[in-house]
Amino acid sequence: MVRIVLLAGMLAITAASADIYNVPPTVNKIGQPLDGFVSYSIEFASFPEFAGNDTVPNEFSYNLLRNLGDVMGTNPYIRVGGNTQDYALFNGSQKQALIGIVDPSRSPDYPTTITIGPAYFESYNTWPGFKYSHGLNLGLGGNRSAGWQTLVETVPLVCKTLGNGKLYTWEYGNEPDLYGVSAQGAVRTPSWNESSYVWQWLNGTREIRARVKESCPSLGDPQYMAPSFAALANPLKEPKTWQSGLDVNNNIGLFSTHNYISGAASPGVTLQGTLMNFGVTKASVDNHVKSYDSIFGSTGNASAPPLIFGETNSLYNQGRPGLSNTFGAALWGINFNLYSASVGFKRVHMHQGTNYRYQAWQPVDTDKATKGTKASYYGSMAVAAMLRNSATRPVSLSNIALGTDQQEAAYAAHFAESKKLARLLVINMHGYNTTVDGAGLVPVPDPAVRVARTYSFHVGPQVADGQIVRVQRLMANGSDAITGITFDGWSYNWELDAGRPVRLHNVTAGETTMVSNGLVTVSLPDSSAALLSFTKQCS
């Protein structure tokens, strides 16, 4: 029987309990993410706006990225790429960093005719202490002279710009599995298959290697993230690509795959049923693990390239207002990232671009959107805090079963070397809306009572009775909120201090609980999350 009482205007429900003392029974490499696990993919055409240039660097973006680096202990890694990397041609005499022409019939959100000049590479100078990958054009470079010349001319610029310790990895081509069927216009014939892709990729990467050897030999042989496929359902398949010899030169350092839970215009997509749903996320991520395992045997295979999401977010086609830009999507982001880490993904690059609905922040003012920090950024902060200092003190992530309720999830972080419980994160994804139609704009005149659910976890005897446990909450007025979001009482809004952390005194912070009779218990209002830390080290 579930006991329900009314406390201070909020329904209190005993929701779930779990034994995490023996979860995982042994901590292994499968659940240990790489440093900088919380990372970003920035649309190629949007990068100059996100980063700025030598004259006007984007300080707002830098502040937000540094916040994450300060919490994680390692800065996010920045992948500069996406669809527009495969439209970009180089013009050495062009003064502007990027000239783009938007064709709404192909995409209303980004240009599909693009030229870049040498000034484009200034954007890599504005965020000190960060590492980048630069997306090279395979879409137009594999079979067209202008695209090939772009490759030849831009590789030396990448060397010059990123050769001083700023190079993360190389990427040649974005989502080549879509080249023959892309909704934005096919750049290959219908006969495009794994063998033809591998031939062109190997041909191009040989040229990249030659240009690197000529321009920046100190960088050594290029290592790549690949194959960067869009979806497992597309015509080209990852296992067959590998069988066709993609890594014959042993130069793929990161196995990169892309993922979106669903589409912005897909029928039946809802916040509660699609994003705030553990089962939907689990099924989506598990399919990628199965594909990877069919090639390498296991995500724990130390001889295989680490598995990463090189590009991912909620809903493809840049997200949908009222879904991808809400607090509920931030809760989805926590669940997606931590579940991915628990099954073997080593790093996750959340994709974003100017005016995109699922972005973590809008970097500049435009006629479509104002500069500001978005809901999903706060979810990334919670994930960063869960995985803090993973470069110096790695943790193993485990998903904690909470029964059959698909609107709840919990994760444990155990120190890799000692197997001791470090942190626990609980997500209550039951929807609670306070605005008309869940659009985040017009308040509901008389919102329903918000339910609070109590979660208990058996942590003894690993954690002693009387142990003080720090509680950091991710909160907003509801799952449909697009403003008023805090993590542990901190705001990172542009309006307050250009994205730097600001403590809000009207939000509870410094909360603690205590282990009693081997149990730690926390109550979460619907549409919220809480991070419990069992060590003195806090972020």
Side-chain angles (χ1 to χ4, degrees):
M1 178 180 294
V2 175
R3 184 170 58 90
I4 304 178
V5 295
L6 185 63
L7 294 175
M10 187 175 292
L11 285 174
I13 298 179
T14 301
S17 62
D19 183 346
I20 64 170
Y21 174 58
N22 287 317
V23 181
T26 59
V27 178
N28 55 53
K29 293 188 69 174
I30 288 180
Q32 292 178 25
L34 296 172
D35 64 317
F37 179 85
V38 179
S39 287
Y40 286 103
S41 166
I42 298 177
E43 188 65 54
F44 190 95
S46 300
F47 184 53
E49 293 169 317
F50 271 83
N53 54 39
D54 288 345
T55 304
V56 186
N58 194 312
E59 180 185 11
F60 175 44
S61 293
Y62 183 60
N63 291 339
L64 292 176
L65 290 167
R66 281 295 306 273
N67 295 338
L68 289 162
D70 289 345
V71 171
M72 279 194 294
T74 308
N75 285 331
Y77 289 78
I78 308 299
R79 177 238 186 192
V80 179
N83 284 356
T84 53
Q85 82 181 62
D86 278 323
Y87 302 134
L89 298 175
F90 182 70
N91 180 352
S93 62
Q94 178 175 302
K95 300 301 181 183
Q96 299 93 329
L98 184 145
I99 298 175
I101 299 174
V102 175
D103 179 353
S105 67
R106 297 179 70 185
S107 173
D109 291 315
Y110 52 73
T112 50
T113 301
I114 299 170
T115 56
I116 62 171
Y120 182 92
F121 294 85
E122 288 186 13
S123 297
Y124 288 113
N125 300 328
T126 63
W127 298 338
F130 285 80
K131 292 182 180 292
Y132 307 86
S133 67
H134 175 83
L136 295 164
N137 186 339
L138 171 61
L140 301 181
N143 61 354
R144 302 185 189 183
S145 58
W148 185 263
Q149 191 61 30
T150 290
L151 178 72
V152 171
E153 294 185 39
T154 57
V155 168
L157 292 174
V158 176
C159 283
K160 179 181 178 181
T161 307
L162 302 181
N164 54 353
K166 295 193 293 185
L167 181 66
Y168 168 32
T169 188
W170 299 79
E171 185 178 41
Y172 185 40
N174 173 77
E175 300 181 352
D177 54 325
L178 289 176
Y179 284 178
V181 295
S182 174
Q184 285 74 44
V187 293
R188 296 293 187 277
T189 65
S191 63
W192 178 249
N193 59 23
E194 290 87 353
S195 296
S196 51
Y197 160 59
V198 168
W199 188 92
Q200 290 187 13
W201 193 86
L202 292 175
N203 188 48
T205 54
R206 279 193 294 268
E207 181 66 21
I208 295 168
R209 183 178 183 271
R211 299 282 71 80
V212 169
K213 187 175 181 180
E214 177 182 85
S215 303
C216 46
S218 63
L219 288 181
D221 289 343
Q223 292 285 300
Y224 297 88
M225 64 165 70
S228 302
F229 280 7
L232 301 176
N234 286 335
L236 273 64
K237 305 300 181 185
E238 293 169 342
K240 191 171 181 180
T241 300
W242 219 260
Q243 294 165 10
S244 298
L246 187 69
D247 197 30
V248 67
N249 295 320
N250 195 33
N251 57 2
I252 296 177
L254 295 166
F255 189 96
S256 174
T257 189
H258 295 182
N259 187 77
Y260 290 86
I261 294 298
S262 189
S266 298
V269 172
T270 66
L271 191 58
Q272 184 71 91
T274 307
L275 296 183
M276 295 171 61
N277 185 298
F278 173 78
V280 171
T281 292
K282 179 181 184 299
S284 185
V285 173
D286 283 351
N287 283 335
H288 289 274
V289 174
K290 291 176 183 176
S291 179
Y292 180 88
D293 286 354
S294 72
I295 303 171
F296 304 109
S298 167
T299 53
N301 183 350
S303 64
L307 175 62
I308 69 167
F309 278 123
E311 177 186 318
T312 187
N313 215 301
S314 57
L315 305 175
Y316 61 80
N317 290 338
Q318 295 74 58
R320 186 197 297 181
L323 296 179
S324 302
N325 63 335
T326 67
F327 184 62
L331 298 175
W332 164 81
I334 299 174
N335 184 49
F336 179 86
N337 275 264
L338 294 183
Y339 184 77
S340 297
S342 76
V343 294
F345 277 85
K346 304 303 184 186
R347 190 173 287 139
V348 173
H349 292 262
M350 301 299 289
H351 193 57
Q352 54 183 343
T354 307
N355 300 328
Y356 288 9
R357 274 69 65 189
Y358 53 51
Q359 64 188 173
W361 69 92
Q362 169 76 1
V364 294
D365 290 318
T366 70
D367 59 351
K368 294 182 178 179
T370 57
K371 183 189 298 187
T373 310
K374 306 302 181 180
S376 64
Y377 178 81
Y378 289 84
S380 293
M381 286 297 301
V383 176
M386 177 69 162
L387 298 174
R388 59 179 177 261
N389 300 323
S390 57
T392 56
R393 199 174 186 191
V395 291
S396 180
L397 265 290
S398 302
N399 171 239
I400 307 303
L402 293 181
T404 59
D405 192 332
Q406 298 302 300
Q407 276 69 58
E408 299 171 338
Y411 297 89
H414 288 75
F415 288 122
E417 82 284 359
S418 67
K419 314 292 192 293
K420 289 184 177 180
L421 180 64
R423 290 174 288 278
L424 175 67
L425 195 146
V426 191
I427 316 167
N428 178 349
M429 293 181 286
H430 289 269
Y432 179 72
N433 293 338
T434 60
T435 60
V436 176
D437 297 326
L441 298 174
V442 181
V444 173
D446 186 20
V449 174
R450 193 171 189 174
V451 170
R453 301 169 197 266
T454 300
Y455 301 83
S456 295
F457 300 88
H458 179 237
V459 297
Q462 193 178 88
V463 181
D465 277 2
Q467 169 80 47
I468 301 298
V469 180
R470 185 186 186 191
V471 181
Q472 296 171 280
R473 294 186 182 273
L474 182 70
M475 292 294 298
N477 286 337
S479 51
D480 54 351
I482 57 176
T483 60
I485 301 160
T486 59
F487 176 62
D488 195 33
W490 294 96
S491 172
Y492 303 94
N493 283 357
W494 159 253
E495 299 85 356
L496 297 181
D497 193 13
R500 300 178 187 89
V502 174
R503 174 72 80 183
L504 301 185
H505 299 293
N506 61 342
V507 180
T508 300
E511 182 182 349
T512 62
T513 187
M514 182 183 295
V515 177
S516 178
N517 295 321
L519 293 174
V520 63
T521 299
V522 63
S523 178
L524 271 73
D526 281 351
S527 298
S528 69
L531 172 62
L532 282 65
S533 297
F534 296 87
T535 59
K536 293 181 180 180
Q537 183 181 10
C538 296
S539 59

